[in-house]
Structures are given as structure tokens and as C-alpha cells.
Amino acid sequence: MVILPSAYMGSVSYFSHLLRGKYVIDTGEHFIKRSQRNRALILSANGPLALTVNVEHANTPRRPMRDVRIDYSKRWQHQHWVSIVSAYRSAPYFDYYAPQIEPFYRRQWRYLLDYNIEYTEALLRMLGVTSPPNVSERYVEAAEGDLDLRPRHNEGPTEPVEPYIQVFSDRMPFVAGLSVLDLILCEGPSAIDVVSGR
């Protein structure tokens, strides 16, 4: 089994694990700041851009993910949405998927875990996957033979991804490690083929 953390706009590699078979998203693990739990990469005109969801008491050690509250005192939702629009408004499928993405930057969620899981479900639907992600109810102990991808620091699952045409491919080389949102907005219905390695 593959054990994954919850992720904000998970990477293409992250979503490939969700499509491969037996996995679980661990909701009982501890929050690690500046990790994929609240940070994602998109591709701007100036290169990769990190988007971070602000959380309350980010420096509190050993805090369970399910207890991490989102901090709305700064306008991170507005900043993220403006950045996404600026980066992807010329992407082939932006107009089609924007109505499904924008609510995640208008509505407020109390807990980061709930936000991440709902966003992951929405991204799976955009990929054409109707089944919800498999999540644990408590901390998952890795057994022998399990692939534990809950990073202890800020790295995430980074496996090679089949290159696809990105928005700024005319002026910069392919950038790996981006949010699956980049792939969806650039490839639309074909995105599932890249994620699943077809």
C-alpha cells in the first residue's frame, strides 16, 4: 500500500499514486510547515511559483493534520486566484475548468485537511475519476512492504513525469513537480493519460 499525506493541489506524481491502486491518505499524521500539505507549485511567466495556504500557529510542533486551521487574516485566497488566472488564462482549458476551481478561492474552510480533501476530490473529477480519495480515520502505521510517502520535511513524491506542453513552453523548458492543476489546464481530458502513464 502507498501511504500519502494530504496535499494542497497535489503534484502530477501525487495524483499518479491516487490512480495506481492501493493507497491511503493519512489524516492522522502531524502537520509539517512549508510542505505539500499547504504548499503547491504552479508555473508563472517567471518560472515556478509557490502558493502557500496560511495556517494558524504554523510553528506548533507535532500538531495533527486534522487540527490545523486555515488562517484568513491575510488574503492568500485572493492572491492564489489572481496568480492562477495570471498564469493560466491563456491555457487551452482554463475557461472550461475555472468555474470548478474558483470556489476554492471564494469559500472558506475551517480546517486545512477538509480543504485539501475537497480540492483533491474536485481535481480527481476534472481528471474524470468519480470515486472519492481513500482517507484514513487515524494515523497509519507503515507495515513491511508499504511505500510511505509522508515526507518528514518539505519534499513530496517526485517521480518522473511524461513531459506535456505547458503554457510557457515557447520560452522555458519543461518544469516537473508542478500541481496537477497545471496539467489539467494545459491538457484537459488528455490529462488522465499523463497521470496514469498511458
Side-chain angles (χ1 to χ4, degrees), residues 31-59:
F31 173 73
I32 298 173
K33 67 180 183 176
R34 291 192 302 272
S35 72
Q36 63 183 323
R37 292 155 186 84
N38 70 322
R39 180 177 285 192
L41 282 179
I42 64 169
L43 187 60
S44 75
N46 297 317
L49 174 67
L51 301 179
T52 303
V53 176
N54 291 358
V55 297
E56 296 177 0
H57 313 295
N59 294 319

PDB file of all heavy atoms in Angstrom, residues 31-59:
ATOM      1  N   PHE A  31       1.246  17.818  11.050  1.00  0.00           N
ATOM      2  CA  PHE A  31       1.455  18.875  10.061  1.00  0.00           C
ATOM      3  C   PHE A  31       2.937  19.228   9.989  1.00  0.00           C
ATOM      4  O   PHE A  31       3.610  19.331  11.001  1.00  0.00           O
ATOM      5  CB  PHE A  31       0.645  20.115  10.454  1.00  0.00           C
ATOM      6  CG  PHE A  31       0.909  21.316   9.596  1.00  0.00           C
ATOM      7  CD1 PHE A  31       0.432  21.384   8.300  1.00  0.00           C
ATOM      8  CD2 PHE A  31       1.648  22.383  10.086  1.00  0.00           C
ATOM      9  CE1 PHE A  31       0.675  22.494   7.500  1.00  0.00           C
ATOM     10  CE2 PHE A  31       1.888  23.506   9.301  1.00  0.00           C
ATOM     11  CZ  PHE A  31       1.406  23.553   8.006  1.00  0.00           C
ATOM     12  N   ILE A  32       3.439  19.393   8.773  1.00  0.00           N
ATOM     13  CA  ILE A  32       4.812  19.859   8.552  1.00  0.00           C
ATOM     14  C   ILE A  32       4.712  21.124   7.719  1.00  0.00           C
ATOM     15  O   ILE A  32       4.187  21.099   6.604  1.00  0.00           O
ATOM     16  CB  ILE A  32       5.660  18.803   7.827  1.00  0.00           C
ATOM     17  CG1 ILE A  32       5.759  17.536   8.690  1.00  0.00           C
ATOM     18  CG2 ILE A  32       7.044  19.353   7.513  1.00  0.00           C
ATOM     19  CD1 ILE A  32       6.423  16.368   7.995  1.00  0.00           C
ATOM     20  N   LYS A  33       5.178  22.247   8.275  1.00  0.00           N
ATOM     21  CA  LYS A  33       5.041  23.517   7.559  1.00  0.00           C
ATOM     22  C   LYS A  33       5.934  23.538   6.322  1.00  0.00           C
ATOM     23  O   LYS A  33       6.926  22.814   6.244  1.00  0.00           O
ATOM     24  CB  LYS A  33       5.327  24.701   8.472  1.00  0.00           C
ATOM     25  CG  LYS A  33       6.750  24.820   8.938  1.00  0.00           C
ATOM     26  CD  LYS A  33       6.899  26.047   9.831  1.00  0.00           C
ATOM     27  CE  LYS A  33       8.344  26.222  10.259  1.00  0.00           C
ATOM     28  NZ  LYS A  33       8.534  27.440  11.033  1.00  0.00           N
ATOM     29  N   ARG A  34       5.552  24.361   5.374  1.00  0.00           N
ATOM     30  CA  ARG A  34       6.261  24.508   4.098  1.00  0.00           C
ATOM     31  C   ARG A  34       6.409  23.169   3.373  1.00  0.00           C
ATOM     32  O   ARG A  34       7.445  22.879   2.785  1.00  0.00           O
ATOM     33  CB  ARG A  34       7.618  25.186   4.294  1.00  0.00           C
ATOM     34  CG  ARG A  34       7.498  26.643   4.695  1.00  0.00           C
ATOM     35  CD  ARG A  34       8.814  27.393   4.600  1.00  0.00           C
ATOM     36  NE  ARG A  34       9.875  26.836   5.408  1.00  0.00           N
ATOM     37  CZ  ARG A  34      10.098  27.149   6.681  1.00  0.00           C
ATOM     38  NH1 ARG A  34       9.332  28.033   7.276  1.00  0.00           N
ATOM     39  NH2 ARG A  34      11.086  26.594   7.343  1.00  0.00           N
ATOM     40  N   SER A  35       5.378  22.352   3.446  1.00  0.00           N
ATOM     41  CA  SER A  35       5.374  21.073   2.742  1.00  0.00           C
ATOM     42  C   SER A  35       4.161  21.053   1.820  1.00  0.00           C
ATOM     43  O   SER A  35       3.357  21.993   1.792  1.00  0.00           O
ATOM     44  CB  SER A  35       5.299  19.909   3.736  1.00  0.00           C
ATOM     45  OG  SER A  35       4.011  19.830   4.316  1.00  0.00           O
ATOM     46  N   GLN A  36       4.002  19.962   1.079  1.00  0.00           N
ATOM     47  CA  GLN A  36       2.869  19.861   0.165  1.00  0.00           C
ATOM     48  C   GLN A  36       1.517  19.894   0.882  1.00  0.00           C
ATOM     49  O   GLN A  36       0.492  20.084   0.248  1.00  0.00           O
ATOM     50  CB  GLN A  36       2.990  18.590  -0.671  1.00  0.00           C
ATOM     51  CG  GLN A  36       2.932  17.315   0.148  1.00  0.00           C
ATOM     52  CD  GLN A  36       3.136  16.087  -0.700  1.00  0.00           C
ATOM     53  OE1 GLN A  36       2.680  16.042  -1.833  1.00  0.00           O
ATOM     54  NE2 GLN A  36       3.826  15.101  -0.171  1.00  0.00           N
ATOM     55  N   ARG A  37       1.511  19.762   2.192  1.00  0.00           N
ATOM     56  CA  ARG A  37       0.262  19.807   2.936  1.00  0.00           C
ATOM     57  C   ARG A  37      -0.421  21.170   2.788  1.00  0.00           C
ATOM     58  O   ARG A  37      -1.630  21.274   2.833  1.00  0.00           O
ATOM     59  CB  ARG A  37       0.522  19.490   4.405  1.00  0.00           C
ATOM     60  CG  ARG A  37       0.944  18.056   4.632  1.00  0.00           C
ATOM     61  CD  ARG A  37       1.763  17.909   5.907  1.00  0.00           C
ATOM     62  NE  ARG A  37       2.279  16.573   6.062  1.00  0.00           N
ATOM     63  CZ  ARG A  37       3.408  16.133   5.494  1.00  0.00           C
ATOM     64  NH1 ARG A  37       4.122  16.940   4.730  1.00  0.00           N
ATOM     65  NH2 ARG A  37       3.822  14.907   5.694  1.00  0.00           N
ATOM     66  N   ASN A  38       0.384  22.235   2.654  1.00  0.00           N
ATOM     67  CA  ASN A  38      -0.204  23.567   2.462  1.00  0.00           C
ATOM     68  C   ASN A  38       0.515  24.385   1.389  1.00  0.00           C
ATOM     69  O   ASN A  38       0.323  25.586   1.306  1.00  0.00           O
ATOM     70  CB  ASN A  38      -0.254  24.345   3.786  1.00  0.00           C
ATOM     71  CG  ASN A  38       1.111  24.777   4.282  1.00  0.00           C
ATOM     72  OD1 ASN A  38       2.101  24.057   4.168  1.00  0.00           O
ATOM     73  ND2 ASN A  38       1.167  25.966   4.856  1.00  0.00           N
ATOM     74  N   ARG A  39       1.315  23.718   0.546  1.00  0.00           N
ATOM     75  CA  ARG A  39       2.052  24.446  -0.491  1.00  0.00           C
ATOM     76  C   ARG A  39       2.004  23.679  -1.810  1.00  0.00           C
ATOM     77  O   ARG A  39       2.158  22.466  -1.831  1.00  0.00           O
ATOM     78  CB  ARG A  39       3.503  24.635  -0.059  1.00  0.00           C
ATOM     79  CG  ARG A  39       4.329  25.380  -1.097  1.00  0.00           C
ATOM     80  CD  ARG A  39       5.729  25.621  -0.602  1.00  0.00           C
ATOM     81  NE  ARG A  39       5.725  26.683   0.399  1.00  0.00           N
ATOM     82  CZ  ARG A  39       6.791  27.289   0.864  1.00  0.00           C
ATOM     83  NH1 ARG A  39       7.978  26.936   0.443  1.00  0.00           N
ATOM     84  NH2 ARG A  39       6.706  28.248   1.753  1.00  0.00           N
ATOM     85  N   ALA A  40       1.804  24.421  -2.893  1.00  0.00           N
ATOM     86  CA  ALA A  40       1.784  23.835  -4.239  1.00  0.00           C
ATOM     87  C   ALA A  40       2.574  24.731  -5.180  1.00  0.00           C
ATOM     88  O   ALA A  40       2.731  25.928  -4.928  1.00  0.00           O
ATOM     89  CB  ALA A  40       0.348  23.694  -4.732  1.00  0.00           C
ATOM     90  N   LEU A  41       3.033  24.147  -6.272  1.00  0.00           N
ATOM     91  CA  LEU A  41       3.759  24.898  -7.292  1.00  0.00           C
ATOM     92  C   LEU A  41       2.927  25.009  -8.562  1.00  0.00           C
ATOM     93  O   LEU A  41       2.366  24.013  -9.025  1.00  0.00           O
ATOM     94  CB  LEU A  41       5.075  24.188  -7.658  1.00  0.00           C
ATOM     95  CG  LEU A  41       6.254  24.314  -6.722  1.00  0.00           C
ATOM     96  CD1 LEU A  41       7.434  23.515  -7.267  1.00  0.00           C
ATOM     97  CD2 LEU A  41       6.652  25.759  -6.505  1.00  0.00           C
ATOM     98  N   ILE A  42       2.840  26.227  -9.094  1.00  0.00           N
ATOM     99  CA  ILE A  42       2.259  26.447 -10.406  1.00  0.00           C
ATOM    100  C   ILE A  42       3.346  27.067 -11.276  1.00  0.00           C
ATOM    101  O   ILE A  42       4.419  27.414 -10.787  1.00  0.00           O
ATOM    102  CB  ILE A  42       0.991  27.334 -10.366  1.00  0.00           C
ATOM    103  CG1 ILE A  42       1.326  28.756  -9.885  1.00  0.00           C
ATOM    104  CG2 ILE A  42      -0.096  26.697  -9.501  1.00  0.00           C
ATOM    105  CD1 ILE A  42       0.195  29.749 -10.073  1.00  0.00           C
ATOM    106  N   LEU A  43       3.062  27.207 -12.572  1.00  0.00           N
ATOM    107  CA  LEU A  43       4.049  27.779 -13.482  1.00  0.00           C
ATOM    108  C   LEU A  43       3.611  29.169 -13.911  1.00  0.00           C
ATOM    109  O   LEU A  43       2.615  29.321 -14.608  1.00  0.00           O
ATOM    110  CB  LEU A  43       4.232  26.876 -14.707  1.00  0.00           C
ATOM    111  CG  LEU A  43       5.364  27.272 -15.652  1.00  0.00           C
ATOM    112  CD1 LEU A  43       6.708  27.269 -14.934  1.00  0.00           C
ATOM    113  CD2 LEU A  43       5.405  26.328 -16.847  1.00  0.00           C
ATOM    114  N   SER A  44       4.359  30.175 -13.481  1.00  0.00           N
ATOM    115  CA  SER A  44       4.075  31.551 -13.877  1.00  0.00           C
ATOM    116  C   SER A  44       4.979  31.927 -15.045  1.00  0.00           C
ATOM    117  O   SER A  44       5.865  31.166 -15.433  1.00  0.00           O
ATOM    118  CB  SER A  44       4.325  32.504 -12.703  1.00  0.00           C
ATOM    119  OG  SER A  44       5.718  32.685 -12.503  1.00  0.00           O
ATOM    120  N   ALA A  45       4.787  33.112 -15.577  1.00  0.00           N
ATOM    121  CA  ALA A  45       5.620  33.598 -16.683  1.00  0.00           C
ATOM    122  C   ALA A  45       7.085  33.717 -16.272  1.00  0.00           C
ATOM    123  O   ALA A  45       7.973  33.725 -17.116  1.00  0.00           O
ATOM    124  CB  ALA A  45       5.096  34.940 -17.183  1.00  0.00           C
ATOM    125  N   ASN A  46       7.351  33.806 -14.960  1.00  0.00           N
ATOM    126  CA  ASN A  46       8.718  33.924 -14.446  1.00  0.00           C
ATOM    127  C   ASN A  46       9.281  32.614 -13.919  1.00  0.00           C
ATOM    128  O   ASN A  46      10.329  32.597 -13.288  1.00  0.00           O
ATOM    129  CB  ASN A  46       8.779  34.982 -13.344  1.00  0.00           C
ATOM    130  CG  ASN A  46       8.413  36.354 -13.865  1.00  0.00           C
ATOM    131  OD1 ASN A  46       8.845  36.738 -14.939  1.00  0.00           O
ATOM    132  ND2 ASN A  46       7.589  37.070 -13.125  1.00  0.00           N
ATOM    133  N   GLY A  47       8.564  31.525 -14.145  1.00  0.00           N
ATOM    134  CA  GLY A  47       9.011  30.211 -13.673  1.00  0.00           C
ATOM    135  C   GLY A  47       8.111  29.684 -12.568  1.00  0.00           C
ATOM    136  O   GLY A  47       7.032  30.228 -12.308  1.00  0.00           O
ATOM    137  N   PRO A  48       8.539  28.602 -11.884  1.00  0.00           N
ATOM    138  CA  PRO A  48       7.705  28.013 -10.830  1.00  0.00           C
ATOM    139  C   PRO A  48       7.393  29.021  -9.724  1.00  0.00           C
ATOM    140  O   PRO A  48       8.254  29.797  -9.319  1.00  0.00           O
ATOM    141  CB  PRO A  48       8.569  26.868 -10.298  1.00  0.00           C
ATOM    142  CG  PRO A  48       9.508  26.557 -11.407  1.00  0.00           C
ATOM    143  CD  PRO A  48       9.771  27.862 -12.106  1.00  0.00           C
ATOM    144  N   LEU A  49       6.154  28.996  -9.268  1.00  0.00           N
ATOM    145  CA  LEU A  49       5.682  29.899  -8.221  1.00  0.00           C
ATOM    146  C   LEU A  49       5.024  29.077  -7.128  1.00  0.00           C
ATOM    147  O   LEU A  49       4.098  28.305  -7.399  1.00  0.00           O
ATOM    148  CB  LEU A  49       4.680  30.903  -8.812  1.00  0.00           C
ATOM    149  CG  LEU A  49       3.978  31.835  -7.833  1.00  0.00           C
ATOM    150  CD1 LEU A  49       4.971  32.807  -7.199  1.00  0.00           C
ATOM    151  CD2 LEU A  49       2.852  32.596  -8.537  1.00  0.00           C
ATOM    152  N   ALA A  50       5.506  29.225  -5.887  1.00  0.00           N
ATOM    153  CA  ALA A  50       4.930  28.502  -4.753  1.00  0.00           C
ATOM    154  C   ALA A  50       3.727  29.265  -4.208  1.00  0.00           C
ATOM    155  O   ALA A  50       3.806  30.468  -3.965  1.00  0.00           O
ATOM    156  CB  ALA A  50       5.974  28.325  -3.656  1.00  0.00           C
ATOM    157  N   LEU A  51       2.633  28.551  -4.034  1.00  0.00           N
ATOM    158  CA  LEU A  51       1.425  29.100  -3.411  1.00  0.00           C
ATOM    159  C   LEU A  51       1.247  28.403  -2.072  1.00  0.00           C
ATOM    160  O   LEU A  51       1.207  27.168  -2.021  1.00  0.00           O
ATOM    161  CB  LEU A  51       0.199  28.863  -4.298  1.00  0.00           C
ATOM    162  CG  LEU A  51       0.229  29.449  -5.707  1.00  0.00           C
ATOM    163  CD1 LEU A  51      -1.059  29.100  -6.451  1.00  0.00           C
ATOM    164  CD2 LEU A  51       0.429  30.957  -5.667  1.00  0.00           C
ATOM    165  N   THR A  52       1.146  29.176  -1.006  1.00  0.00           N
ATOM    166  CA  THR A  52       1.061  28.605   0.340  1.00  0.00           C
ATOM    167  C   THR A  52      -0.234  29.011   1.017  1.00  0.00           C
ATOM    168  O   THR A  52      -0.565  30.193   1.082  1.00  0.00           O
ATOM    169  CB  THR A  52       2.255  29.079   1.205  1.00  0.00           C
ATOM    170  OG1 THR A  52       3.472  28.722   0.541  1.00  0.00           O
ATOM    171  CG2 THR A  52       2.230  28.444   2.579  1.00  0.00           C
ATOM    172  N   VAL A  53      -0.968  28.021   1.518  1.00  0.00           N
ATOM    173  CA  VAL A  53      -2.171  28.275   2.306  1.00  0.00           C
ATOM    174  C   VAL A  53      -1.729  28.676   3.704  1.00  0.00           C
ATOM    175  O   VAL A  53      -0.999  27.929   4.373  1.00  0.00           O
ATOM    176  CB  VAL A  53      -3.063  27.011   2.381  1.00  0.00           C
ATOM    177  CG1 VAL A  53      -4.274  27.259   3.281  1.00  0.00           C
ATOM    178  CG2 VAL A  53      -3.508  26.576   0.993  1.00  0.00           C
ATOM    179  N   ASN A  54      -2.138  29.846   4.163  1.00  0.00           N
ATOM    180  CA  ASN A  54      -1.776  30.298   5.510  1.00  0.00           C
ATOM    181  C   ASN A  54      -2.552  29.498   6.549  1.00  0.00           C
ATOM    182  O   ASN A  54      -3.761  29.291   6.407  1.00  0.00           O
ATOM    183  CB  ASN A  54      -2.090  31.782   5.681  1.00  0.00           C
ATOM    184  CG  ASN A  54      -1.184  32.668   4.852  1.00  0.00           C
ATOM    185  OD1 ASN A  54      -0.287  32.193   4.170  1.00  0.00           O
ATOM    186  ND2 ASN A  54      -1.418  33.959   4.901  1.00  0.00           N
ATOM    187  N   VAL A  55      -1.836  29.070   7.587  1.00  0.00           N
ATOM    188  CA  VAL A  55      -2.486  28.322   8.662  1.00  0.00           C
ATOM    189  C   VAL A  55      -2.185  28.991   9.999  1.00  0.00           C
ATOM    190  O   VAL A  55      -1.188  29.691  10.155  1.00  0.00           O
ATOM    191  CB  VAL A  55      -2.033  26.842   8.689  1.00  0.00           C
ATOM    192  CG1 VAL A  55      -2.431  26.137   7.403  1.00  0.00           C
ATOM    193  CG2 VAL A  55      -0.554  26.708   8.959  1.00  0.00           C
ATOM    194  N   GLU A  56      -3.070  28.767  10.961  1.00  0.00           N
ATOM    195  CA  GLU A  56      -2.879  29.319  12.298  1.00  0.00           C
ATOM    196  C   GLU A  56      -1.818  28.517  13.043  1.00  0.00           C
ATOM    197  O   GLU A  56      -1.768  27.293  12.930  1.00  0.00           O
ATOM    198  CB  GLU A  56      -4.197  29.271  13.076  1.00  0.00           C
ATOM    199  CG  GLU A  56      -5.287  30.135  12.482  1.00  0.00           C
ATOM    200  CD  GLU A  56      -6.604  30.019  13.233  1.00  0.00           C
ATOM    201  OE1 GLU A  56      -6.679  29.250  14.226  1.00  0.00           O
ATOM    202  OE2 GLU A  56      -7.571  30.691  12.827  1.00  0.00           O
ATOM    203  N   HIS A  57      -0.985  29.202  13.797  1.00  0.00           N
ATOM    204  CA  HIS A  57       0.020  28.565  14.662  1.00  0.00           C
ATOM    205  C   HIS A  57       0.870  27.558  13.893  1.00  0.00           C
ATOM    206  O   HIS A  57       1.042  26.411  14.315  1.00  0.00           O
ATOM    207  CB  HIS A  57      -0.640  27.893  15.861  1.00  0.00           C
ATOM    208  CG  HIS A  57      -1.649  28.762  16.552  1.00  0.00           C
ATOM    209  ND1 HIS A  57      -1.315  29.936  17.201  1.00  0.00           N
ATOM    210  CD2 HIS A  57      -3.004  28.652  16.652  1.00  0.00           C
ATOM    211  CE1 HIS A  57      -2.414  30.490  17.689  1.00  0.00           C
ATOM    212  NE2 HIS A  57      -3.443  29.747  17.368  1.00  0.00           N
ATOM    213  N   ALA A  58       1.413  27.990  12.766  1.00  0.00           N
ATOM    214  CA  ALA A  58       2.179  27.095  11.884  1.00  0.00           C
ATOM    215  C   ALA A  58       3.400  26.492  12.571  1.00  0.00           C
ATOM    216  O   ALA A  58       3.863  25.427  12.181  1.00  0.00           O
ATOM    217  CB  ALA A  58       2.619  27.854  10.638  1.00  0.00           C
ATOM    218  N   ASN A  59       3.918  27.151  13.608  1.00  0.00           N
ATOM    219  CA  ASN A  59       5.135  26.659  14.272  1.00  0.00           C
ATOM    220  C   ASN A  59       4.863  25.702  15.430  1.00  0.00           C
ATOM    221  O   ASN A  59       5.801  25.262  16.095  1.00  0.00           O
ATOM    222  CB  ASN A  59       5.976  27.841  14.767  1.00  0.00           C
ATOM    223  CG  ASN A  59       6.523  28.656  13.622  1.00  0.00           C
ATOM    224  OD1 ASN A  59       6.959  28.099  12.627  1.00  0.00           O
ATOM    225  ND2 ASN A  59       6.487  29.965  13.751  1.00  0.00           N
TER     226      ASN A  59
END
